[in-house]
Amino acid sequence: MKLSSIKCFIFIGMLLAMAGSMNAGVKEDADSLYGAYCNALQSEMGKDYEFSLLNDCCRQTINLIKSPGIAVDDYIAAKERLRELHPQLQIGGVYFSQHNNHVLGVSLLEQYISIPKLEAFKNELFSLPEHYPSLLYYVASNKFNSQDFEQAITFLKEYLETHELKNER
């Protein structure tokens, strides 16, 4: 075997080892945040704290499920966790919207909207609420107001695809 081929194999092995250790860190963070979220549900810390942990937990679990080289058991567990927490994202997003914390409201609803579109769930159906178009519009308008025009357009296009055009003049 040539020296360049050996170097290539060593390099690939190092990359795989690095990816595995990065996945372990992401998994540990996701698991830790999920545990903290579950503990918060049992405590008297309040909705703000619970939904903030939910936001961080889901974001990290989404990162985990997208990680290259994720172990099959971790992938299945992450999918189950996201499926379980998905409805709570909508509740949290609406909660923060009603309490004028639009940054967290949008973050939770953005995850609520994105989870069913993940590659991991491409062959699954999620039940979406009747007011789903309103959620899309809320996220789109907040993205526009924060001058994130690219994301605003993405959510507005999806809103228009729902045929919820009663506000159109």
Side-chain angles (χ1 to χ4, degrees):
M1 197 180 277
K2 293 183 180 177
L3 185 58
S4 62
S5 297
I6 293 172
K7 286 181 182 179
C8 184
F9 284 124
I10 291 171
F11 180 71
I12 290 172
M14 289 172 52
L15 285 177
L16 290 173
M18 285 174 37
S21 88
M22 286 190 304
N23 286 347
V26 172
K27 181 187 178 331
E28 287 174 14
D29 290 347
D31 290 347
S32 174
L33 287 164
Y34 180 68
Y37 170 70
C38 291
N39 289 337
L41 292 175
Q42 306 303 319
S43 72
E44 300 286 328
M45 298 297 286
K47 295 289 183 196
D48 286 16
Y49 182 67
E50 289 173 21
F51 289 132
S52 293
L53 283 171
L54 174 67
N55 184 55
D56 295 340
C57 172
C58 286
R59 187 165 309 286
Q60 197 64 8
T61 305
I62 290 169
N63 289 339
L64 176 61
I65 212 165
K66 289 179 174 181
S67 295
I70 183 175
V72 173
D73 291 344
D74 294 340
Y75 183 81
I76 292 169
K79 276 185 70 173
E80 289 174 6
R81 182 178 297 163
L82 288 176
R83 208 178 287 115
E84 170 196 339
L85 297 176
H86 184 253
Q88 298 306 312
L89 290 166
Q90 177 199 348
I91 294 167
V94 171
Y95 170 84
F96 280 123
S97 167
Q98 293 171 340
H99 289 85
N100 292 319
N101 187 335
H102 301 292
V103 171
L104 276 173
V106 167
S107 181
L108 286 158
L109 290 173
E110 202 172 358
Q111 292 178 79
Y112 176 78
I113 292 165
S114 72
I115 286 173
K117 298 174 188 168
L118 291 172
E119 181 68 22
F121 297 107
K122 70 179 178 185
N123 295 321
E124 297 183 33
L125 294 176
F126 280 75
S127 176
L128 300 176
E130 190 175 297
H131 62 276
Y132 184 73
S134 298
L135 301 177
L136 290 167
Y137 189 81
Y138 171 77
V139 173
S141 64
N142 276 277
K143 291 291 185 177
F144 180 84
N145 291 339
S146 66
Q147 299 188 355
D148 185 350
F149 301 120
E150 189 174 317
Q151 285 291 303
I153 290 169
T154 299
F155 287 104
L156 188 57
K157 282 181 180 176
E158 186 173 348
Y159 167 77
L160 292 172
E161 289 171 4
T162 65
H163 304 290
E164 178 71 26
L165 302 176
K166 65 182 176 191
N167 294 324
E168 185 179 26
R169 296 188 197 275

